[in-house]
Amino acid sequence: MIRSELVQKIASENSDLRLEEVERIVDSFFDSIVEQLAAGGRVELRGFGAFSTRSRESRTGRNPRTGAAVDVQAKAVPYFKPGKEMRERLND
């Protein structure tokens, strides 16, 4: 499912909301998660899972086209850990 399909599904299940309102809600939801992660925080949605960040060390990578060594800076990457309820539903 892509973002636009999610917006359509929510809009169809909530006929009292206009499509533009649903888009704003979805955008606000995702923006809030990104802002919290960017601030070094964690977002936990009970039954669904938890979003956090993990640190990656700097390393030497390779340019796949030329094979030349490339320095890759240390960075934070997003990480998702599914919740217990999600794992159970996926493995029924």
Side-chain angles (χ1 to χ4, degrees):
M1 175 179 281
I2 60 174
R3 184 189 164 285
S4 60
E5 292 171 338
L6 176 64
V7 169
Q8 288 294 330
K9 182 167 177 59
I10 293 171
S12 68
E13 292 177 359
N14 297 280
S15 59
D16 55 322
L17 295 174
R18 293 190 336 256
L19 187 63
E20 295 81 21
E21 293 171 324
V22 174
E23 287 178 351
R24 277 199 321 248
I25 291 167
V26 170
D27 286 343
S28 177
F29 176 76
F30 289 128
D31 288 345
S32 296
I33 292 174
V34 171
E35 287 172 9
Q36 185 67 25
L37 293 177
R42 181 173 190 264
V43 177
E44 183 175 333
L45 304 170
R46 298 272 179 194
F48 184 73
F51 297 91
S52 60
T53 57
R54 298 255 171 116
S55 297
R56 294 271 169 95
E57 300 291 326
S58 60
R59 62 185 174 85
T60 301
R62 295 259 173 227
N63 180 330
R65 185 170 285 171
T66 64
V70 177
D71 289 330
V72 179
Q73 300 293 325
K75 59 186 169 185
V77 294
Y79 176 75
F80 176 74
K81 180 179 179 185
K84 180 180 176 185
E85 288 179 35
M86 178 187 280
R87 288 192 311 269
E88 290 172 353
R89 287 184 67 182
L90 291 175
N91 292 306
D92 280 344

